[in-house]
Amino acid sequence: MTNREVAKTLDNIADILQIKDENPFKVRAYRQAANSIYGLDENINYLYKKGLLGDIPGVGKAIQAKIEELLDKGNLEYYDALLQEVPQGVLDILTIPGIGHKTVQILFAKLGIIDINELLQAALNQKIRTLPGIGAKTECAIINGIEMLKENKHYTLGLVLPIAEELLAHLKESEQVLNAALVGSIRRGKPLVSDIDILVSAEDEAGVRYNTANFRAVKQIINSEAGHIEGLLQYNIPFEVIIVADKDYYKSLLRTTGSKDHIKHLQILNNRDAAKDYQSEYQVYSFYNLDYIPPELREDQGEIEAAAEDSLPQLVNEDDIQGDLHVHSNWSDGSGKIAEIAQMADSLNYSYIAITDHSRSLPISGGLNEERLMAQGQEIDQLNAADNRIKILKGTEADILKDGSLDFSAETLREMDIVIGSIHSNFRLEKEKQTDRIVQAMKNENVDIIGHLSGRLLNRRPAYELDYDRILDEASKNRVILEMNSHPDRLDIDAELARKAREYNIKIAINSDAHHKQDLKLIKYGLMNARRGWLEKKDVVNTWSWEEIKAYIKK
DNA sequence: GCCGTTTTCGGCCCGACTGTTTTCAGTCG
C-alpha cells in the first residue's frame, strides 16, 4: 500500500466520523494524521519496518495500530465496518461543491441517498428542497455541481504521472523491452489527462504482456491483442501499452504523442509515406523539413509554422530554475521548519528560496500577524547568517481583501524581500468587481507577484470571473509578475494565459506553493505548463539570480 | 484520537459568506 492510499483511507475515516457527527477533535486527529502521511518524504512501509510510524506527527497509538493493520493485511476492519454504516457512494457526494458533511448526513438519513446518481434523480424530482435547512438554491447548486463533476472525466497530471512513471520503469526493467516512453497527453504535459499511454518497442510481445499484467497497480486487463494492451490501474485510471517493432519506434513515438491536430497538420504538410528507420524524433521532424518540436508545443497552435521558419521558442528547462518564490513553513499552514526547507532547496541546487507564509486574515491557515512576521524575519536573518549556501528571502503571501487592499500595512510590506498578493476569499464577486480588486492590488507598489490568479482548482472549482485583457494590461503597466502556480490541482495561470502574458512582456514566476518540503519538487508540473505556454528562460524570473529579480521588482 | 519545559487530563486554529431563515447552521478556506 502506498502513502497516498493509507492517507486516503484515514481521510475517508475522518469523513465518515464527521458524517456520523462524532467528536470533531477525533475527526481532526484522523485528518491530521492523513495530512502528515500525504506529506511524508519516506515510504510508509519503510517507516513501519524501521518501527518509526509513531514518529509521524499526529500518529499516536490508535492510528499507528490501524496503519499497521492496513500495511499488513491490505485492509482495515474498523474502516470496513464504518463503510457498512456509510457507504463509499455517500462519501463521493462530498466532492460536490457546497455540500458538506451535515448535508450529506441529512440526504442519507432522510432520503436514503447513497450515491451521486440517486442524488441527481432526487434533485431533478425536486425532493431535496423539501428537506430541513435546504432550499431551491441548494438543489440547483447540487444539479450544477454534479454536471460539472460528470464533465470532468479527466485525472490531474499530478495523480497520474507518478503511477505512469512507475509503470514505465517497471516495463523498462524487462529484457525484451528495447525502447519505451510515456506518450499521449501526459508527454505533452496536459494538466488533465484521460488515460496513461505508453509506447514500447520489443521483439517479444509475450514478455511485455506478462510484465504489464504483473505490475502491482494493475487492477484489470480489458483487452490484449497484437501490438496493444489495455486495462485499468488503481483509482480506475485507464492505461494502454502500445507495442511496436523497434524500427518503427521513433515514428510511432511522434504519432502516439499527438496531439491529433498536430499529427493531422504534419500529414497535410507532407503526405509521402515516411517509411524510414529513424534514429530519433529529430530525424522524423527533419523529414518534414522542420525543427524539432518539443512535445509540450504539439497542439497545432502555430508550432509547425514556427518550426518551418526556425522561430520556435527556446523553452525554459528544469536546469534553468534557480529558486522558488512561494513556499510555506510551519509558521503558517506548512509542515516544514525553515531550515529544513532551505536544506531541501539546496539539494535541488537552488540559490534562493522565499518563505511566504499566509497573512492574518487566513486564521485557519495560521496566518501571521505583523508581530509574528517580524519574529519570522529574525529567524531568517539568523539562518542566513549561519549558512550562506542558500539565500532565504523574507516574504509573505498577503491576502488581497475584498476591496483590493492587502492585510499588511505598506510599512510592513516594505520590510519584505518579496510580496505575493493572493485571493483566498470572496471568490464569487461579479467580474468587474473581481477584476477591480486584483487591479487595485497590482497598483500597490509593494506587490511583486500575484499568486494563483484565476483561483481555479482542477476538477473542483472553476476560475473566478475576470477581465483578463485588463489584468494583463495592468500587470504589464505596473510591472507585476504573474505566478505560474505549480500545484497540479492549480496550474494557475494556465498555459494559454501564460502565452498571452508573454506577448505583453509580463514576467512569470514558476512557484511551487509548497506546504511540505517535498512539495518543492512539484515545480516540474509548473515547468511543463510554462513550456506549454511557450515560455523561455528570459520570461521566467526564477531562472534569474536574486540580484536580477531584485533589480526588476524595484519599481 | 493526539499531545504535553503546565504530561496521564483537558485542551485541541476561526471568521466570513451563503442560504435558509427571521436568528442561525453549514460550508469553505
Side-chain angles (χ1 to χ4, degrees):
Chain A
M1 227 179 200
T2 62
N3 292 25
R4 198 186 181 101
E5 287 164 320
V6 172
K8 183 71 189 156
T9 306
L10 296 177
D11 242 344
N12 286 350
I13 291 173
D15 280 333
I16 296 176
L17 295 177
Q18 205 173 343
I19 289 168
K20 280 160 52 80
D21 204 22
E22 296 233 5
N23 178 357
F25 298 109
K26 186 169 166 182
V27 172
R28 191 192 298 164
Y30 276 97
R31 273 223 214 280
Q32 266 168 353
N35 273 335
S36 288
I37 292 165
Y38 275 125
L40 279 180
D41 311 343
E42 302 278 4
N43 185 309
I44 195 158
N45 294 281
Y46 170 81
L47 292 179
Y48 179 26
K49 230 182 284 169
K50 290 269 168 188
L52 296 172
L53 287 179
D55 289 356
I56 302 170
V59 175
K61 276 187 182 164
I63 294 184
Q64 178 177 344
K66 292 188 170 73
I67 296 172
E68 288 175 357
E69 187 184 333
L70 268 174
L71 295 178
D72 281 335
K73 303 198 315 200
N75 73 317
L76 172 62
E77 257 177 56
Y78 174 67
Y79 177 49
D80 294 340
L82 285 175
L83 280 175
Q84 290 295 315
E85 291 180 68
V86 180
Q88 177 64 45
V90 174
L91 300 184
D92 296 340
I93 295 173
L94 287 170
T95 57
I96 301 167
I99 305 299
H101 300 84
K102 288 279 185 230
T103 312
V104 163
Q105 199 277 331
I106 293 171
L107 293 167
F108 183 46
K110 302 259 177 192
L111 294 178
I113 289 170
I114 55 157
D115 61 38
I116 287 185
N117 284 327
E118 286 190 14
L119 177 59
L120 181 61
Q121 276 314 311
L124 290 171
N125 294 331
Q126 306 200 339
K127 282 189 181 155
I128 306 296
R129 63 179 69 189
T130 63
L131 294 170
I134 304 178
K137 264 197 169 168
T138 304
E139 193 175 70
C140 269
I142 286 174
I143 295 169
N144 291 336
I146 294 175
E147 273 170 7
M148 190 194 85
L149 290 177
K150 292 210 165 169
E151 278 169 25
N152 294 331
K153 273 283 174 203
H154 289 82
Y155 301 88
T156 59
L157 192 58
L159 174 70
V160 166
L161 186 58
I163 302 169
E165 282 174 340
E166 208 188 319
L167 175 54
L168 176 67
H170 176 81
L171 290 174
K172 276 184 168 172
E173 273 172 18
S174 105
E175 281 175 15
Q176 298 95 359
V177 169
L178 304 168
N179 272 304
L182 299 177
V183 291
S185 45
I186 292 186
R187 184 162 180 241
R188 303 201 307 283
K190 283 192 80 169
L192 289 170
V193 300
S194 56
D195 64 349
I196 292 172
D197 295 319
I198 295 182
L199 177 72
V200 164
S201 73
E203 302 307 336
D204 170 24
E205 275 201 23
V208 179
R209 249 169 246 295
Y210 178 80
N211 251 312
T212 305
N214 278 318
F215 179 55
R216 64 152 192 92
V218 166
K219 269 177 82 172
Q220 192 190 350
I221 301 287
I222 293 170
N223 200 353
S224 191
E225 53 193 34
H228 186 239
I229 307 162
E230 209 179 317
L232 293 178
L233 295 169
Q234 61 185 128
Y235 310 116
N236 288 327
I237 301 167
F239 76 94
E240 213 176 312
V241 177
I242 303 147
I243 311 163
V244 297
D246 204 46
K247 70 179 177 54
D248 296 327
Y249 179 74
Y250 288 101
K251 203 168 59 180
S252 304
L253 184 59
L254 188 124
R255 181 178 51 79
T256 53
T257 297
S259 66
K260 282 197 179 97
D261 290 341
H262 177 85
I263 301 299
K264 201 168 146 194
H265 194 152
L266 281 180
Q267 282 162 349
I268 293 168
L269 212 63
N270 191 330
N271 218 6
R272 285 178 296 158
D273 179 20
K276 287 168 62 179
D277 291 356
Y278 297 106
Q279 299 303 308
S280 70
E281 263 187 330
Y282 286 84
Q283 287 185 0
V284 190
Y285 277 107
S286 58
F287 171 82
Y288 290 105
N289 292 318
L290 297 173
D291 291 343
Y292 172 76
I293 301 177
E296 294 93 335
L297 297 186
R298 300 181 195 172
E299 301 290 347
D300 195 21
Q301 303 276 332
E303 73 280 6
I304 292 175
E305 292 81 353
E309 293 165 3
D310 209 15
S311 64
L312 281 171
Q314 293 295 311
L315 297 182
V316 58
N317 271 308
E318 200 177 339
D319 298 343
D320 296 331
I321 300 293
Q322 289 207 42
D324 196 326
L325 296 174
H326 186 169
V327 179
H328 296 272
S329 74
N330 62 0
W331 281 76
S332 69
D333 60 347
S335 71
K337 292 181 187 156
I338 296 176
E340 294 169 353
I341 297 164
Q343 202 175 11
M344 180 60 124
D346 186 46
S347 77
L348 295 171
N349 285 323
Y350 288 173
S351 56
Y352 51 87
I353 186 134
I355 302 299
T356 53
D357 277 308
H358 289 288
S359 60
R360 57 189 167 186
S361 40
L362 221 53
I364 182 78
S365 303
L368 274 56
N369 57 20
E370 252 122 11
E371 201 183 327
R372 291 190 66 226
L373 187 66
M374 292 305 138
Q376 185 184 54
Q378 284 174 4
E379 183 183 324
I380 291 175
D381 284 338
Q382 284 166 9
L383 289 168
N384 277 328
D387 186 346
N388 60 6
R389 275 176 304 176
I390 184 154
K391 167 89 176 160
I392 306 171
L393 304 170
K394 293 178 211 168
T396 174
E397 182 182 16
D399 253 59
I400 302 174
L401 306 176
K402 197 173 177 179
D403 63 356
S405 64
L406 298 194
D407 66 345
F408 279 128
S409 67
E411 207 181 4
T412 303
L413 292 177
R414 266 194 291 272
E415 297 284 313
M416 299 288 107
D417 293 313
I418 198 112
V419 173
I420 303 172
S422 297
I423 285 182
H424 292 109
S425 61
N426 295 293
F427 300 124
R428 284 193 272 175
L429 292 187
E430 59 185 83
K431 187 172 177 177
E432 202 182 332
K433 280 203 176 139
Q434 197 70 285
T435 308
D436 284 346
R437 179 186 185 187
I438 291 178
V439 167
Q440 186 69 26
M442 289 196 298
K443 284 182 174 166
N444 185 321
E445 58 170 11
N446 294 305
V447 172
D448 305 310
I449 302 176
I450 297 290
H452 44 72
L453 175 68
S454 87
R456 75 169 180 181
L457 289 175
L458 292 166
N459 283 347
R460 275 188 287 159
R461 188 174 73 201
Y464 24 77
E465 299 266 324
L466 287 174
D467 177 348
Y468 285 105
D469 285 329
R470 222 180 114 208
I471 298 265
L472 292 178
D473 198 41
E474 291 288 346
S476 154
K477 269 190 212 157
N478 294 288
R479 232 199 295 174
V480 168
I481 298 162
L482 294 184
E483 175 178 82
M484 166 71 71
N485 189 297
S486 299
H487 196 289
D489 288 347
R490 291 192 182 269
L491 293 171
D492 182 11
I493 56 179
D494 67 19
E496 199 185 336
L497 195 68
R499 191 171 171 189
K500 218 167 166 188
R502 188 169 173 249
E503 289 166 17
Y504 280 77
N505 198 27
I506 294 166
K507 300 303 172 194
I508 305 294
I510 305 178
N511 291 337
S512 70
D513 196 359
H515 286 72
H516 304 287
K517 60 180 178 179
Q518 205 66 19
D519 287 353
L520 289 177
K521 293 177 182 168
L522 294 179
I523 208 122
K524 73 174 179 181
Y525 295 98
L527 257 164
M528 281 191 266
N529 212 38
R531 287 167 64 88
R532 287 176 63 78
W534 292 52
L535 298 189
E536 302 188 292
K537 187 178 171 186
K538 67 178 171 56
D539 302 312
V540 178
V541 292
N542 51 321
T543 65
W544 311 348
S545 70
W546 167 236
E547 298 307 319
E548 287 171 302
I549 299 176
K550 207 157 79 175
Y552 181 80
I553 61 180
K554 194 149 185 147
K555 294 180 218 166

